[in-house]
Amino acid sequence: MFFRQLATKEATLSYLFGCGSCHVAVVVDPVLGDEDWFLEEAKKQDVNITHVIDTHVHADHYSGARALAERSGALYCLHESNAGRVNFEFEALRDKQHIVIGNVVVQVLHTPGHTLDSLCLTVTDKRRTNAPWFVLTGDTMFVGAIGRPDLAGKEREMAGQLFDSLHERLLTLPSELELYPGHTSGSVCGAGISGKPASTIGFEKRWNPMLSLDRDAFIEALTGEIPPRPAEMERMVAANLGN
Ligand SMILES: [Fe+2]
């Protein structure tokens, strides 16, 4: 398999990976304006982009996913809970669904908390083994930090959901899994995010300060330090919903 991580605007990390031998690839969380980069990289790798996935409807940047999906003829994928919420057609992803990209298999994990529709994606390279090799954690979990509960007015409830998603879904993954988040330091999507763009489940389990807290302490800590809301947030959400 091949794998590219793009560090782009708003301290966002986007991903392009796939199967060179079957000439297919997937893009995760592209930012608007970066479409040419993805199309050029795909051309260099001699792959067709078949799926463009947003890990959630973003509130801190304009998503480039729909534009890129249109230009590359790929499916634009979001969690199924967005049906009726967004003003465009999309491929609805379900929890535990597998997306086959040649010899690469992406499995969808629904991990609500940062937002209700948040997804994490485990990725397996079947040429190596049938066990997942890495996980894209979107804004659910960062290196050294955790996503902010984004739903205004429901922060405590969402923080509780985030705790459950982390402990029941992400931290039960094998510790050797590499972890690739949706942001590095400088993002308003979480407090105390590291500048390092990758980690492992095991290292975060041991050293991420938010992961050693019990549920009540976690909710207190997370809702006590919510960073300021992104500038232009309403406009960005409206654009990303297709309004
Ligand atoms: Fe986000």
Side-chain angles (χ1 to χ4, degrees):
M1 78 177 297
F2 74 95
F3 177 84
R4 293 279 179 280
Q5 181 188 52
L6 175 67
T8 181
K9 297 174 274 286
E10 316 292 353
T12 295
L13 297 169
S14 310
Y15 299 89
L16 165 70
F17 58 91
C19 177
S21 31
C22 299
H23 305 284
V24 279
V26 56
V27 171
V28 178
D29 288 338
V31 173
L32 193 65
D34 289 340
E35 298 86 77
D36 286 344
W37 185 87
F38 286 99
L39 292 167
E40 277 159 30
E41 278 298 309
K43 204 169 165 189
K44 274 188 219 161
Q45 296 290 333
D46 191 20
V47 292
N48 291 319
I49 299 169
T50 59
H51 296 74
V52 183
I53 304 173
D54 265 330
T55 54
H56 56 294
V57 173
H58 298 284
D60 68 308
H61 63 265
Y62 294 102
S63 167
R66 263 190 303 149
L68 181 60
E70 254 165 52
R71 283 179 65 186
S72 56
L75 293 169
Y76 174 43
C77 310
L78 277 174
H79 184 248
E80 60 181 349
S81 61
N82 287 299
R85 181 180 175 227
V86 297
N87 271 326
F88 46 77
E89 302 270 302
F90 68 96
E91 182 77 3
L93 299 183
R94 298 177 316 277
D95 187 43
K96 299 194 175 122
Q97 180 178 341
H98 288 102
I99 303 169
V100 178
I101 316 285
N103 291 309
V104 173
V105 179
V106 175
Q107 188 178 19
V108 175
L109 301 181
H110 182 218
T111 51
H114 170 63
T115 58
L116 287 169
D117 65 330
S118 282
L119 301 175
C120 292
L121 305 166
T122 63
V123 182
T124 299
D125 179 358
K126 289 204 304 187
R127 298 272 283 231
R128 300 291 313 279
T129 169
N130 285 329
W133 195 352
F134 60 92
V135 58
L136 303 185
T137 54
D139 291 6
T140 298
M141 185 163 154
F142 301 118
V143 178
I146 297 300
R148 57 186 281 166
D150 239 3
L151 215 63
K154 287 202 170 174
E155 287 91 351
R156 294 188 69 83
E157 190 187 320
M158 295 301 286
Q161 286 200 31
L162 187 50
F163 180 91
D164 297 339
S165 290
L166 289 166
H167 287 269
E168 288 164 20
R169 307 302 300 276
L170 276 182
L171 299 182
T172 54
L173 294 170
S175 63
E176 70 269 20
L177 250 72
E178 295 173 345
L179 182 159
Y180 293 99
H183 291 288
T184 49
S185 55
S187 163
V188 291
C189 287
I193 306 176
S194 172
K196 187 172 179 297
S199 186
T200 62
I201 289 289
F203 191 88
E204 291 308 307
K205 224 176 189 171
R206 184 151 178 205
W207 300 111
N208 187 317
M210 295 299 289
L211 299 179
S212 53
L213 303 175
D214 65 26
R215 202 171 190 277
D216 289 342
F218 177 89
I219 294 172
E220 283 312 315
L222 201 61
T223 54
E225 58 172 36
I226 295 181
R229 311 194 89 192
E232 278 189 68
M233 177 170 165
E234 318 277 283
R235 284 218 332 251
M236 288 170 169
V237 174
N240 291 339
L241 289 171
N243 294 328

